[in-house]
Amino acid sequence: MTGAVIEIQSLTKRFGGTTAVDDLSFRVEPGVVTGFLGPNGAGKTTTLRSLVGLVRPTSGRATFDGTSYAELPNPLRTVGTALEAASFHPGRSGRDHLRVVGAAAGIPTARVDEVLAWVGLADAGGRRVGGYSLGMRQRLGLAFALLGDPGALVLDEPINGLDPEGIRWIRGFLRDLAAEGRTVLVSSHLLSEVQQTVDRVVIISRGRLAYEGTLDGLEGGAIARVHVDAADREALGRSLTAAGGQVEVAGDGLRVSGLDADAIGRHALAAGVPLRLLVPEREGLEDVFLGIVGEGEIR
Amino acid sequence: MLRSLRSELLKISTTRIWWILAAILFGYVGLTAAGMAALFTTIRQQPEGQLITAEMVPPLVYSVATAVGYVFPLLFGALATTTEFRHQTLTPTFLATPRRSAVLGGKVIAGAVWGVVYAVVGLLAAVGLGALVLAATGQETLLGDSDVWALLGRIVLAMMLWAMIGVAFGVLVSNQVAVIVIVLAFTQFVEPLLRLASSFWEWSARIGGYLPGAASDALVGSSIFTAFSGAATADSLEWWQGGLVLGGYAALFLVIGGLTTWRRDVT
């Protein structure tokens, strides 16, 4: 199976005076899991809703292999979408919910039972959705996305509300779907939530593209620092500053940037200062992510 | 469109509201029809009650199905659309069928189908219980009369149109609480007052004939309301005009709703 290529081209959406998505462009390829990241309010949900035709963009296009969602002959068979956990009638059973949408797409009831079993809701399918936990609703949303056996999946915060066992389950699940050749786009406001699952990331902030590429590329942007200490801390600091490093005094030693561990060792030796600690540190991916999207900014 | 219709019919049958309303409709119409049959029997036993002929009674009893029952398919249709806004189920609906006009078409036809179901329930109550009381008290039931069967047919048509008006009105208003309040206040309070007030002058009575409830009574051709407010009957529409007026309300709400709330972003 080869999923459709998702392409967002110069997408802009304004709600009244607020610009939710601002000239956004990116591509999502099949066969890998792509994370769509940004803080709450960055425009992720608006982008995804525009992609599947629920929101009319102010300008720009969003397509699957060049075709907009509304023009797909049988959209559920091309694109599976899970948007939010609340879009179910509480008085209808999970199974009936899938039968209702299945009927609209010409999908038989046998397939409904298949996807219910696939997401682990075979027993709960007959119960009313009003009694479901958030995790069960997420699973039902996934079942809806899988109903038409689509090549592309668009999932908005699918990990939100799952218990640890559910999180492990969905990570493997998304990887399997991508390994089958499907296009998998997963949004999240937490990088750590999808870090182990995604191969590529698209990061947006305030409706604009902030980063598009691999996780490794994102990591490359991390600033390396070295945690170093010596009995004569002052002498060590002097020699490293003279060598061009930025030295910061911390409670348990010095934090040096601008020099790598090798260089620090050599300079310490040259200055005759015996080291008692030399540890290269990497800034966490989460910090890089927050740096990109603007740390602590809440809109 | 056909798939949308199947989906819409399934939406209705997989939730509880349709049979709750049907049960109340049956009880309400059945009790009213039986009570009226008994009342007319008593009146006709009085010397001056002979003014009401045997042929007048059954149509009045049977038309209770619409005269008091029309609010049920109306409310049902309105709930069927507003529930989608309320529970945000328009999201999966439009994901499965991005052509929103096809969804709307499916909804209206599904509403019409269920309107017929409500007509059958209402008639089972009105004719079933009404005729039972009439027969038990030795009155004419007229169930062999073709005019009465034509009346029953027009009742089915009226109930169908009311359900379609409900669906269309739900699209127009979209807020479920607002729709319930408007439907109940208008049908139970505002319209009866307007009909009464309009019957005082000839010119206003002509306008009053176009009120939806009056048009419905004109379509059915018999109703306790028109029977007891003499002035209004003179200016009431022909039965087919009544049907057209009801259809006109449905079309008007549908077009305005379809161009406004139905086209909005689903967020």
Side-chain angles (χ1 to χ4, degrees):
Chain A
M1 171 177 278
T2 306
V5 174
I6 299 173
E7 199 160 15
I8 309 276
Q9 294 160 291
S10 315
L11 188 77
T12 298
K13 177 64 185 180
R14 287 188 206 97
F15 292 106
T18 324
T19 304
V21 180
D22 191 0
D23 196 25
L24 181 65
S25 301
F26 64 87
R27 258 170 86 90
V28 183
E29 304 284 344
V32 290
V33 181
T34 302
F36 185 37
L37 303 170
N40 288 326
K44 298 188 300 291
T45 298
T46 303
T47 303
L48 297 183
R49 285 190 172 262
S50 303
L51 175 61
V52 295
L54 293 170
V55 163
R56 194 191 312 249
T58 307
S59 63
R61 260 167 76 78
T63 55
F64 298 87
D65 277 343
T67 309
S68 73
Y69 191 88
E71 284 156 14
L72 293 170
N74 193 342
L76 290 196
R77 296 204 180 272
T78 310
V79 187
T81 312
L83 284 176
E84 62 207 59
S87 293
F88 307 110
H89 191 296
R92 190 175 286 136
S93 76
R95 186 168 177 272
D96 282 341
H97 171 77
L98 296 180
R99 282 174 64 217
V100 164
V101 271
I107 294 166
T109 307
R111 175 67 186 169
V112 167
D113 294 321
E114 219 172 277
V115 291
L116 277 175
W118 202 1
V119 301
L121 284 179
D123 295 329
R127 298 202 332 245
R128 291 201 186 95
V129 177
Y132 280 21
S133 66
L134 183 54
M136 290 165 83
R137 284 164 197 245
Q138 287 284 30
R139 285 170 188 256
L140 182 58
L142 270 182
F144 166 62
L146 294 166
L147 198 56
D149 196 20
L153 287 153
V154 176
L155 312 172
D156 195 8
E157 304 266 358
I159 299 170
N160 210 1
L162 290 180
D163 54 16
E165 184 266 320
I167 292 176
R168 208 175 62 176
W169 168 78
I170 198 173
R171 282 179 176 157
F173 193 69
L174 295 176
R175 290 213 148 278
D176 291 347
L177 291 169
E180 288 167 19
R182 293 179 217 257
T183 313
V184 183
L185 179 62
V186 182
S187 86
S188 177
H189 61 284
L190 292 172
L191 175 66
S192 57
E193 206 175 56
V194 293
Q195 196 173 332
Q196 289 145 288
T197 321
V198 300
D199 309 286
R200 285 176 59 82
V201 284
V202 173
I203 301 176
I204 66 167
S205 170
R206 300 184 199 181
R208 289 169 169 273
L209 186 69
Y211 176 82
E212 179 181 12
T214 60
L215 264 185
D216 288 342
L218 188 61
E219 213 160 9
I223 311 149
R225 291 199 304 182
V226 182
H227 184 191
V228 64
D229 201 14
D232 189 351
R233 206 176 273 174
E234 218 174 297
L236 177 64
R238 268 199 309 274
S239 76
L240 294 181
T241 309
Q246 284 89 51
V247 180
E248 225 178 283
V249 182
D252 54 348
L254 305 173
R255 292 265 178 335
V256 183
S257 49
L259 293 171
D260 63 8
D262 265 357
I264 290 170
R266 274 186 277 109
H267 287 295
L269 184 64
V273 181
L275 296 178
R276 63 176 177 210
L277 182 75
L278 182 66
V279 184
E281 284 182 347
R282 289 212 98 162
E283 195 181 6
L285 265 181
E286 196 70 37
D287 293 326
V288 180
F289 172 59
L290 288 175
I292 289 176
V293 300
E295 193 168 0
E297 275 183 66
I298 296 163
R299 296 196 304 147
Chain B
M1 187 88 133
L2 208 63
R3 282 173 172 175
S4 273
L5 173 61
R6 278 196 53 217
S7 179
E8 293 302 328
L9 290 173
L10 206 52
K11 269 179 198 167
I12 294 164
S13 63
T14 52
T15 47
R16 287 167 291 182
I17 191 72
W18 76 268
W19 65 258
I20 294 174
L21 283 175
I24 303 172
L25 167 71
F26 186 87
Y28 186 29
V29 167
L31 281 179
T32 312
M36 255 175 57
L39 181 69
F40 279 121
T41 305
T42 318
I43 290 173
R44 277 177 35 76
Q45 278 157 1
Q46 313 300 316
E48 59 273 35
Q50 297 300 321
L51 276 172
I52 300 172
T53 63
E55 286 71 34
M56 284 168 71
V57 176
L60 286 177
V61 171
Y62 301 156
S63 65
V64 165
T66 41
V68 306
Y70 76 94
V71 70
F72 290 88
L74 174 64
L75 204 54
F76 166 80
L79 291 177
T81 31
T82 52
T83 194
E84 295 244 39
F85 289 98
R86 178 163 174 228
H87 297 299
Q88 296 166 354
T89 46
L90 281 180
T91 291
T93 297
F94 288 160
L95 284 175
T97 316
R99 273 183 52 227
R100 297 187 182 185
S101 56
V103 177
L104 199 52
K107 270 200 178 315
V108 174
I109 299 170
V113 170
W114 237 263
V116 173
V117 172
Y118 280 96
V120 170
V121 172
L123 287 177
L124 280 176
V127 180
L129 295 178
L132 200 69
V133 172
L134 290 176
T137 52
Q139 302 289 311
E140 192 66 64
T141 62
L142 292 183
L143 282 182
D145 189 333
S146 62
D147 282 351
V148 167
W149 283 96
L151 170 85
L152 302 188
R154 294 196 302 273
I155 286 176
V156 173
L157 183 61
M159 294 292 258
M160 194 179 90
L161 286 167
W162 276 113
M164 292 164 81
I165 292 176
V167 169
F169 191 62
V171 174
L172 181 67
V173 177
S174 81
N175 181 307
Q176 188 154 53
V177 176
V179 123
I180 294 171
V181 170
I182 294 172
V183 163
L184 291 181
F186 185 81
T187 59
Q188 307 304 303
F189 184 66
V190 177
E191 191 184 16
L193 280 183
L194 284 177
R195 285 178 74 178
L196 187 68
S198 71
S199 67
F200 289 146
W201 303 280
E202 201 181 316
W203 62 268
S204 61
R206 214 167 290 134
I207 298 169
Y210 288 91
L211 286 167
S216 175
D217 286 344
L219 165 60
V220 172
S222 175
S223 156
I224 42 167
F225 292 126
T226 44
F228 290 122
S229 56
T233 32
D235 291 296
S236 103
L237 303 168
E238 294 292 316
W239 73 268
W240 55 269
Q241 288 174 319
L244 284 180
V245 169
L246 285 187
Y249 278 110
L252 181 71
F253 295 155
L254 203 60
V255 167
I256 299 174
L259 291 175
T260 53
T261 59
W262 205 247
R263 284 162 55 99
R264 274 191 204 141
D265 288 341
V266 182
T267 53

